[in-house]
Amino acid sequence: AAAAVLESWKEHPAPEIGQAWVMSQPTLRIRDIRSRTRIGEDGDATAEVAVVVKTGSLNPRTSRLHYTLLTPSGETVTTGTRSVTLGMRGEDTVRFLARIPYDSLWSDARATQYRLLLKTQHEGRYVEYIDRPIGFRSIAMQEDGTMEINGRSVTLRTREVPGNLTPEQVADLRRTGCNTIRLLPGPVSEQMLTACDTCGMYVIAQTPVDTRRSGDSRRVGGNPSNNPAWRDAYIERAENCYYTLQGHPSVVAFSLATCSANGINLYESYLRMKKLPEQRPFIYPEAAGEWNSDRLKTAN
């Protein structure tokens, strides 16, 4: 595969897709769901849920978005509808707020998850239904690299693991005192992430970039991290990692690469990710003190 140079973790990097699903998306669809949580002076939190809707229509189109947020016990926190009018292949974001008691926030000590119900309606017909768990928690970083979850400092006791652990293996790690897993590059199991969300295991997500076979040289013909021809590939992989995993409350940080020297492509990846309205850190542990890595204190 042409991208084999970026995938040193594979013993035999032959071209492959692996297991995949083909989906026929509705004309107007829910493209993304994001949330942000702020702790108030009274200790409780205000959660903002943002639902990104997009249309593939070539003509202006008006539809309705219905939303309901439920507590873990099934009680309604908030519910409503919004009319959305989009132009040709347009996109917009519908936002709503919810009050979340402090003891209902998500953390490693109490992995509380709410339920978010969404559906779209066009000309009286319901088109798309989404029912997903959602955990609310705030993240803040201190200058020394200490992470605060919901306003309280946490010690990240990390273990480096592949992205295909079973729920039983995740639970076993929690019982050993590990509260954070740093993923190795490669496929990531949705089942594993769901288990982390459920049991309160923090996750440092890993962009699938590992170029150790190319060595550390930044000269022409050396490591692709400093070859501008690979710039778009590095940025695309960083963005895909972020947008695929950012909805999981367990994901508290993103690693831009592993064992990939340093250079223009990792600088550009870091700058692109820092443009996001995101409080979670973007790290590259092998940056060797260069500026393209946020500080994150962990304990092995």
Side-chain angles (χ1 to χ4, degrees):
V5 67
L6 305 183
E7 301 175 347
S8 292
W9 73 89
K10 293 184 179 180
E11 293 183 11
H12 305 287
E16 63 177 342
I17 295 178
Q19 190 176 30
W21 290 263
V22 177
M23 299 172 59
S24 175
Q25 295 180 313
T27 302
L28 181 125
R29 63 186 182 275
I30 296 170
R31 189 183 68 77
D32 199 6
I33 301 168
R34 306 167 189 165
S35 67
R36 174 170 289 192
T37 306
R38 297 178 178 85
I39 309 296
E41 294 182 358
D42 60 357
D44 290 340
T46 299
E48 179 189 72
V49 179
V51 183
V52 183
V53 291
K54 182 177 179 62
T55 181
S57 175
L58 299 180
N59 301 305
R61 180 185 177 101
T62 299
S63 300
R64 295 190 69 80
L65 175 70
H66 300 252
Y67 62 86
T68 300
L69 183 66
L70 303 176
T71 67
S73 60
E75 299 174 350
T76 299
V77 178
T78 184
T79 187
T81 63
R82 298 281 179 84
S83 180
V84 181
T85 300
L86 299 175
M88 182 179 69
R89 295 178 177 170
E91 181 176 297
D92 200 358
T93 302
V94 175
R95 293 180 170 85
F96 64 88
L97 302 176
R99 191 74 169 168
I100 308 296
Y102 188 87
D103 60 5
S104 293
L105 295 175
W106 189 97
S107 70
D108 62 332
R110 183 176 295 178
T112 305
Q113 294 190 84
Y114 285 61
R115 277 182 67 202
L116 178 62
L117 308 179
L118 301 171
K119 60 183 178 182
T120 58
Q121 182 182 17
H122 181 66
E123 296 180 346
R125 180 171 62 94
Y126 293 111
V127 180
E128 185 177 21
Y129 294 83
I130 290 180
D131 179 347
R132 61 173 285 180
I134 183 169
F136 299 107
R137 51 99 181 93
S138 70
I139 292 180
M141 299 300 301
Q142 302 302 310
E143 289 186 2
D144 65 353
T146 300
M147 178 175 285
E148 290 186 352
I149 302 291
N150 304 329
R152 296 180 180 177
S153 297
V154 296
T155 299
L156 302 181
R157 299 181 294 276
T158 62
R159 188 81 59 84
E160 197 170 57
V161 301
N164 59 355
L165 296 186
T166 65
E168 292 76 17
Q169 290 172 317
V170 172
D172 288 343
L173 280 175
R174 283 294 281 129
R175 283 190 285 269
T176 67
C178 169
N179 69 349
T180 308
I181 57 176
R182 181 183 172 190
L183 300 181
L184 292 166
V188 180
S189 163
E190 188 70 19
Q191 184 184 44
M192 185 202 72
L193 291 171
T194 298
C196 293
D197 293 340
T198 302
C199 76
M201 178 73 83
Y202 298 128
V203 176
I204 300 175
Q206 178 64 64
T207 297
V209 174
D210 179 344
T211 63
R212 69 186 72 194
R213 288 196 182 118
S214 298
D216 294 330
S217 174
R218 300 191 184 191
R219 295 180 180 276
V220 175
N223 197 287
S225 292
N226 205 39
N227 181 351
W230 288 99
R231 173 185 176 276
D232 290 346
Y234 274 69
I235 292 175
E236 181 182 48
R237 289 182 178 225
E239 289 184 329
N240 285 348
C241 176
Y242 173 79
Y243 285 113
T244 301
L245 305 182
Q246 57 90 20
H248 289 275
S250 56
V251 176
V252 296
F254 297 88
S255 177
L256 298 176
T258 185
C259 300
S260 297
N262 211 351
I264 185 65
N265 298 326
L266 287 171
Y267 302 153
E268 293 286 348
S269 295
Y270 178 82
L271 291 173
R272 177 68 65 88
M273 303 314 290
K274 294 302 286 186
K275 290 181 179 180
L276 297 168
E278 179 57 69
Q279 296 172 306
R280 286 173 285 193
F282 295 94
I283 64 173
Y284 176 46
E286 287 81 28
E290 294 193 58
W291 56 267
N292 60 319
S293 180
D294 293 329
R295 192 171 183 183
L296 177 63
K297 183 185 294 185
T298 63
N300 295 327

